[in-house]
């Protein structure tokens, strides 16, 4: 078969095998290999890599879309120098994603603007890139969704969906107080994921305030804390808001970092 016909056949074969990206790259790789006189195995490796790289990229894009992250920010974009109460090594350890493999949790606690959501999102993005399923939602949205599913008898379906993702990010848990029913359903979700699947929680409420947050029900609050904190890395961020940083510079004043008003029992291993 002459070269032209062989190439044509290779295109047909790759398309029949549904290797669309390899098919698009193969002409260029053939020419390059001929020029550089690369071996057969290296050439084959490059063709397959062309397919795999695109598929991985598409998979990551799909996982990022399904994750519903509120924005895309990376750990590299996080200025640790601005927030000295965050242990950078601890964050880097989390970035290995061992915590997801071990079903451990992360709790990011602190006042507004200190980077809680940024860090949660950055870890979520790492997980998406590593091929793990991620889902991000706010505490309020989650509570409303669970209550609504009671009304149309789809609670089991919701629990199933929310225990499928390897990493669940609950942003702003306790930003507003929950009703009792919402609190109980949130507890059920946390209990279902406990020791199996990781959850990252961001909150602006110290643990001492959680009874108030969870419908005034101390038993539910302590049951949630128990499951959430048993295997958890906790960041108690005590710093100034990053949002105000640029405004302060523009206006020529600076805000002192204020400690977050946490009370006893906040640092469980
Ligand atoms: P929080 O969730 O604690 O209220 P965010 O994570 O939403 O705060 O941060 C507010 C904004 O400031 C975001 O745009 C975030 O990317 C940015 N930000 C916060 N802290 C830092 C930081 N240390 N370095 C870089 N950007 C930061
Ligand atoms: Mg936030």
């Amino acid at each position: 078969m002459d070269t032209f016909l062989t190439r044509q056949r290779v295109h047909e074969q790759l398309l029949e095998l549904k290797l669309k990206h390899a098919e698009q790259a193969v002409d260029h790789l053939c020419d390059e290999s001929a020029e550089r006189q690369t071996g057969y195995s290296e050439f084959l490796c490059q063709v397959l890599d062309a397919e795999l790289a695109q598929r991985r990229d598409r998979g990551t894009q799909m996982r990022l879309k399904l994750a519903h992250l509120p924005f895309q920010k990376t750990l590299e974009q996080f200025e640790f120098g601005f927030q000295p109460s965050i242990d950078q090594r601890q964050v880097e350890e989390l970035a290995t994603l061992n915590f997801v493999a071990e079903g451990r949790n992360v709790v990011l606690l602190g006042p507004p603007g200190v980077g809680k959501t940024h860090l949660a999102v950055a870890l979520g993005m790492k997980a998406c890139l590593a091929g793990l399923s991620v889902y991000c939602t706010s505490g309020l949205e989650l509570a409303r969704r669970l209550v609504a599913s009671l009304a149309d008898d789809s609670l089991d379906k919701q629990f199933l969906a929310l225990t499928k993702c390897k990493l669940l990010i609950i942003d702003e848990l306790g930003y507003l107080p929950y009703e009792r029913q919402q609190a109980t359903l949130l507890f059920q979700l946390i209990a279902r994921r406990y020791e199996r699947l990781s959850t990252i929680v961001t909150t602006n409420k110290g643990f001492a305030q959680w009874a108030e947050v969870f419908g005034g029900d101390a038993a539910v609050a302590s049951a949630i804390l128990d499951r959430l904190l048993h295997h958890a890395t906790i960041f108690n961020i005590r710093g100034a808001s990053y949002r105000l940083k640029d405004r302060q510079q523009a206006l020529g004043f600076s805000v002192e970092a204020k400690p977050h008003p946490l009370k006893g029992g906040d640092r469980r291993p």
Side-chain angles (χ1 to χ4, degrees), residues 108-142:
L108 295 152
L109 186 67
V114 293
K116 302 183 298 296
T117 306
H118 184 139
L119 288 175
V121 161
L123 290 171
M125 286 185 64
K126 277 252 176 246
C128 287
L129 281 165
L132 300 167
S133 52
V134 177
Y135 183 65
C136 178
T137 178
S138 75
L140 201 61
E141 156 73 25
L142 185 59

Side-chain angles (χ1 to χ4, degrees), residues 71 73 77-80 82-83 110-119 171-172 202 242-243:
F71 51 74
K73 290 269 171 103
Q77 289 171 289
F78 195 82
E79 270 182 61
F80 284 93
F82 185 77
Q83 220 55 266
V114 293
K116 302 183 298 296
T117 306
H118 184 139
L119 288 175
D171 197 22
E172 298 184 338
T202 80
Y242 193 87
R243 288 193 188 102

Side-chain angles (χ1 to χ4, degrees), residues 159-205:
F159 278 143
L160 201 67
L162 291 162
T163 47
K164 270 208 177 122
C165 54
K166 286 272 178 207
L167 176 62
L168 176 68
I169 301 173
I170 310 178
D171 197 22
E172 298 184 338
L173 189 72
Y175 184 68
L176 291 173
Y178 301 104
E179 289 160 15
R180 278 192 175 221
Q181 189 181 44
Q182 292 178 323
T184 311
L185 292 171
L186 284 171
F187 162 71
Q188 286 179 37
L189 175 63
I190 303 281
R192 279 172 194 244
R193 293 184 63 88
Y194 175 60
E195 288 192 325
R196 280 194 311 125
L197 296 157
S198 293
T199 305
I200 300 181
V201 165
T202 80
T203 181
N204 64 338
K205 296 287 192 304

Side-chain angles (χ1 to χ4, degrees), residues 3-20:
T3 316
F4 177 75
L5 288 177
T6 312
R7 284 226 189 169
Q8 214 173 19
R9 181 79 191 114
V10 166
H11 278 281
E12 286 165 8
Q13 287 168 325
L14 289 172
L15 286 177
E16 195 173 336
L17 287 165
K18 301 200 177 350
L19 302 174
K20 191 174 80 184

